[in-house]
Amino acid sequence: MTHGTGPDGPLEVLVVDDDVRVARVNAAYVGKVTGFRVAGQAHTAADALAFLEAAPVDLVLLDHYLPDETGLALVRRLRQIGHHTDVIMVTAARDIATVQAAMRHGALQYLVKPFTFAGLRAKLEGYAALRRALEGGGEAGQDQVDRIFGALGGASAGPAELPKGHSALTADLVREVLRSAEGPLSAQEVAERSSLSRQTAQRYLKLLERTGRVRLSLKYGETGRPEHRYAWVEPA
């Protein structure tokens, strides 16, 4: 977690997208969220790296599809050379392998295009909450640890915060499995596509169903015992 600004200043954001128009729109969105300031825009991985070496920022909104290398390749390179700038992926890439790789390389959140201003604002506000939870350093008790890990979770499952013991990134992973599916999936199918255990997949599916983001239906087979099937519900 880097600190590109003073504790009382706005959080500095670098917007990285190969499409100049999209970068401009995303930057405008960031500028509308209280507590954030756009430090710059970049349209290639090389430009982003050069910007970060010259002027460290707090957060990078990073597209995956860049003309010279992928966003995840850029994240790997930044970590290798000692840059620990926080990253939120903002991309049309929704395949599970990319989502998993983003998790492994330390992306704090993953926002799938196209998205609304409200969707991006929720991610940024979650990030700001995380920064506040980390202020002061020192040691953390379990309650504070729960607040830290829950800070980014509110927008992932829905308007309400994730319950204790739930990961925002795991909720996002289950969400992307359902969003990319051609039809409803069973808990076992979600588990297989996300590389989660069936028990974990089932737990997050039930959570997302309670928030209204997943629709549950029953499929009756030859045995007469219904199979639970889950489908993602896009917000209105």
Side-chain angles (χ1 to χ4, degrees):
M1 184 82 50
T2 60
H3 296 271
T5 63
D8 299 322
L11 295 171
E12 301 281 347
V13 181
L14 173 64
V15 176
V16 183
D17 198 292
D18 68 317
D19 188 317
V20 175
R21 182 186 60 83
V22 171
R24 189 178 300 122
V25 169
N26 291 350
Y29 279 172
V30 172
K32 292 168 63 176
V33 181
T34 302
F36 289 85
R37 188 183 80 85
V38 177
Q41 300 177 39
H43 310 299
T44 68
D47 287 346
L49 180 59
F51 187 99
L52 292 171
E53 289 179 335
V57 300
D58 296 285
L59 178 67
V60 179
L61 292 185
L62 181 61
D63 188 17
H64 182 58
Y65 297 120
L66 300 174
D68 45 351
E69 65 178 333
T70 66
L72 288 180
L74 174 60
V75 174
R76 285 195 296 270
R77 196 139 62 92
L78 287 171
R79 301 305 185 235
Q80 289 169 355
I81 61 178
H83 281 278
H84 298 288
T85 305
D86 295 323
V87 174
I88 293 179
M89 298 297 295
V90 180
T91 176
R94 59 176 61 196
D95 60 284
I96 298 307
T98 301
V99 177
Q100 286 181 312
M103 293 171 63
R104 293 191 187 105
H105 289 95
L108 293 177
Q109 273 288 11
Y110 198 105
L111 185 60
V112 177
K113 296 177 180 178
F115 55 85
T116 63
F117 167 64
L120 178 58
R121 180 180 60 194
K123 300 294 186 188
L124 293 177
E125 289 176 345
Y127 174 71
L130 174 64
R131 291 292 295 257
R132 289 193 296 271
L134 293 174
E135 286 178 359
E139 296 185 349
Q142 186 61 53
D143 288 346
Q144 186 178 2
V145 170
D146 291 339
R147 287 196 300 273
I148 290 169
F149 276 87
L152 286 165
S156 299
E161 291 186 0
L162 288 173
K164 289 183 179 181
H166 288 75
S167 160
L169 287 177
T170 303
D172 282 346
L173 181 58
V174 172
R175 177 195 66 186
E176 291 311 316
V177 167
L178 294 174
R179 287 187 64 176
S180 61
E182 295 181 358
L185 300 175
S186 67
Q188 182 61 40
E189 289 170 328
V190 172
E192 292 171 354
R193 297 187 186 194
S194 61
S195 298
L196 298 171
S197 69
R198 188 186 186 284
Q199 182 180 12
T200 298
Q202 183 76 59
R203 186 157 58 98
Y204 280 84
L205 287 167
K206 288 182 178 179
L207 170 66
L208 292 169
E209 182 197 355
R210 288 198 300 270
T211 67
R213 305 309 297 272
V214 165
R215 181 176 63 253
L216 170 64
S217 60
L218 299 179
K219 179 181 179 181
Y220 289 87
E222 295 179 358
T223 63
R225 183 178 180 180
E227 179 185 48
H228 289 191
R229 310 282 290 181
Y230 301 88
W232 183 255
V233 177
E234 292 291 349

